[in-house]
Amino acid sequence: MFDARDTVQIDADADAVFEFLDDPHNHAAVTPGLTDVRDVERLPNGGKRLSYTYRMAGAGIDGELVQTVHEPNERMRFELRGRLSGTIELSVTPANGGAELTYAAEYDLSESALTAIGAPVIRRFNERQLRRTLDNVAAQFASNGG
């Protein structure tokens, strides 16, 4: 099991940050390695189910993402299903006149992926990707004037 967690301050209203992240296609715009989001379906809880392709170390990993928690303007939690399994939780809170976005992930990779790449390499890669994702979300609002 791998885990990563980080936070970024965003110069925008927390509700606007949540709304941006509530659109799965925006995740493809800010998440390095996420190359495709498709088959988006709304769920009764307000969340979504979708298929995705994520590129890691040159390999494409297809999977399904199911939003199990959808608390408007506060929190969303996703289950990753497929070769990459685990959870992602995004929390948005008002802070310092803007928003604080926290991204927490726990995930497992298939044994063959671990053997081919190595656990320490995967951990560092994903920590960098998480940081870049947060920075990219903040940049979206900086370039759009909040």
Side-chain angles (χ1 to χ4, degrees), residues 10-13 16 138-146:
I10 299 175
D11 188 21
D13 179 73
Q140 282 287 323
F141 287 91
S143 65
N144 293 332

Side-chain angles (χ1 to χ4, degrees), residues 17-93:
V17 174
F18 186 93
E19 184 179 323
F20 175 82
L21 292 170
D22 200 30
D23 180 345
H25 298 286
N26 288 336
H27 289 266
V30 297
T31 305
L34 185 60
T35 60
D36 188 27
V37 171
R38 60 194 175 280
D39 305 326
V40 177
E41 168 192 346
R42 283 215 172 265
L43 300 174
N45 70 353
K48 288 123 195 120
R49 173 190 325 268
L50 57 98
S51 297
Y52 69 88
T53 301
Y54 184 78
R55 294 199 65 77
M56 181 167 48
I61 299 173
D62 289 321
E64 180 183 58
L65 193 69
V66 179
Q67 194 172 10
T68 57
V69 174
H70 183 266
E71 297 173 2
N73 302 322
E74 291 180 23
R75 182 171 79 105
M76 47 183 90
R77 183 176 176 89
F78 305 89
E79 283 184 15
L80 295 157
R81 299 175 180 169
R83 284 183 53 210
L84 181 61
S85 63
T87 60
I88 296 172
E89 184 157 333
L90 302 173
S91 300
V92 182
T93 55

Side-chain angles (χ1 to χ4, degrees), residues 116-131:
I117 300 170
V121 172
I122 291 171
R123 183 177 308 282
R124 285 191 305 272
F125 173 83
N126 282 296
E127 287 170 351
R128 285 192 308 269
Q129 295 294 77
L130 186 149
R131 183 73 239 166

Side-chain angles (χ1 to χ4, degrees), residues 83 109-118 122:
R83 284 183 53 210
L109 276 172
S110 67
E111 194 61 37
S112 62
L114 289 174
T115 303
I117 300 170
I122 291 171

